[in-house]
Amino acid sequence: MREQPPYLRTADLLRQRIANREWAPGDRLPSRAQLAQECGVGEAVVRRAQETLISEGFLEGRAGSGTYVAEPRERVRIVRSPEREQAGAAPFIADMAELGKKATWECRSDAMVPAPPDIATRLGIPEGDYCVRSSYEYLADGKPVLLSTSWEPYAVTSGTLAVLPEGGPFAGMGVVRRMAEIGITVSRAVERPRPGQASAEEANLLGIQRGTSVTRIQRTYYSDEGRPVETADLVVPDALCEIAYEVPISS
């Protein structure tokens, strides 16, 4: 039988010490140098062992502070379905309500941002045309669970009260209802999920390890005239979220 690599053996030792409550949730672990001495390995082995436990949700890294035992985090369920999109408010609210959690989000919008080539292609507009770009961090009971960056052609909402997704009287309504308020019927959404790994910035926002498995969803909303009115990139960490698709069946 092939022997376990040293970092996995070290990860097992650290995992057992956590299970034995030597360190409680929220406790800061000793330095890598001290752990290396205690485990009889090099600091590089300890670092890799800690990264493994961070990806598994046992530990969390805090920039400039150290490595801590993670607080237990329940994996939430995100449902993708036409019914939720048509219900009015952001579907995330309904998802979290079913789990007995409070849904909140933080958003930063920038108006009149030139569309980069890939976004321009997805929105069917010339490269460099102005867009409203919004960056979201979605939280369940105050803890981040997914990220999203959306782009809307500025020409679609310019001069209306819906120009900013999270500003004005239509804030927080979600794309479908918000567009309906300015006379645009969203009739179709296309989503393209693919596997990926968290970047350093994404990991920092989500409280996970860089390189942790995520699902990246490229979503585009279309009006009943076939015009793309919004496109977004969602980052869903596998350790924090389960994605479920509900597909309607016509009788």
Side-chain angles (χ1 to χ4, degrees):
M1 184 175 178
R2 190 175 179 180
E3 187 178 2
Q4 266 191 323
Y7 81 93
L8 288 181
R9 293 200 304 272
T10 303
D12 285 343
L13 290 173
L14 298 179
R15 192 185 295 107
Q16 188 59 51
R17 292 172 74 173
I18 294 170
N20 292 340
R21 306 291 291 183
E22 182 175 337
W23 302 306
D27 283 354
R28 184 179 184 274
L29 264 61
S31 68
R32 285 178 184 161
Q34 181 178 336
L35 290 174
Q37 184 177 17
E38 293 175 1
C39 297
V41 297
E43 288 186 39
V45 172
V46 173
R47 176 182 57 77
R48 195 169 177 189
Q50 289 179 334
E51 290 175 350
T52 298
L53 295 180
I54 288 173
S55 68
E56 293 175 357
F58 289 98
L59 299 176
E60 63 180 36
R62 300 179 189 174
S65 179
T67 305
Y68 294 75
V69 179
E71 298 284 349
R73 294 181 68 175
E74 178 186 353
R75 194 166 181 245
V76 301
R77 191 167 190 254
I78 306 296
V79 180
R80 319 294 296 170
S81 74
E83 288 76 13
R84 288 180 192 258
E85 294 291 346
Q86 295 166 2
F92 183 67
I93 295 176
D95 288 332
M96 295 305 102
E98 289 183 359
L99 297 172
K101 296 182 178 296
K102 181 181 179 181
T104 56
W105 54 86
E106 298 176 1
C107 174
R108 174 181 173 178
S109 292
D110 297 296
M112 302 182 71
V113 178
D118 61 324
I119 297 299
T121 299
R122 285 156 58 175
L123 290 173
I125 60 177
E127 180 182 341
D129 263 20
Y130 288 138
C131 291
V132 176
R133 181 185 62 199
S134 300
S135 300
Y136 292 86
E137 182 176 10
Y138 289 91
L139 305 101
D141 286 345
K143 296 180 179 179
V145 292
L146 68 98
L147 306 173
S148 175
T149 302
S150 73
W151 297 77
E152 297 178 358
Y154 185 67
V156 171
T157 57
S158 176
T160 74
L161 294 176
V163 66
L164 296 177
E166 299 301 322
F170 311 136
M173 287 185 173
V175 176
V176 176
R177 184 177 169 192
R178 202 171 116 259
M179 290 295 170
E181 293 287 347
I182 59 172
I184 297 174
T185 300
V186 175
S187 58
R188 184 168 64 99
V190 176
E191 295 194 346
R192 296 182 173 89
R194 59 184 175 85
Q197 295 181 319
S199 68
E201 181 181 3
E202 292 164 347
N204 184 52
L205 289 170
L206 291 165
I208 59 177
Q209 176 65 32
R210 177 180 180 177
T212 297
S213 295
V214 299
T215 299
R216 299 186 182 278
I217 302 175
Q218 183 187 108
R219 181 199 68 209
T220 304
Y221 284 113
Y222 296 85
S223 72
D224 55 358
E225 297 175 345
R227 178 183 184 182
V229 295
E230 188 254 24
T231 193
D233 293 293
L234 286 73
V235 180
V236 186
D238 297 347
L240 304 180
C241 290
E242 173 193 15
I243 307 169
Y245 280 87
E246 291 184 354
V247 182
I249 306 286
S250 300
S251 55

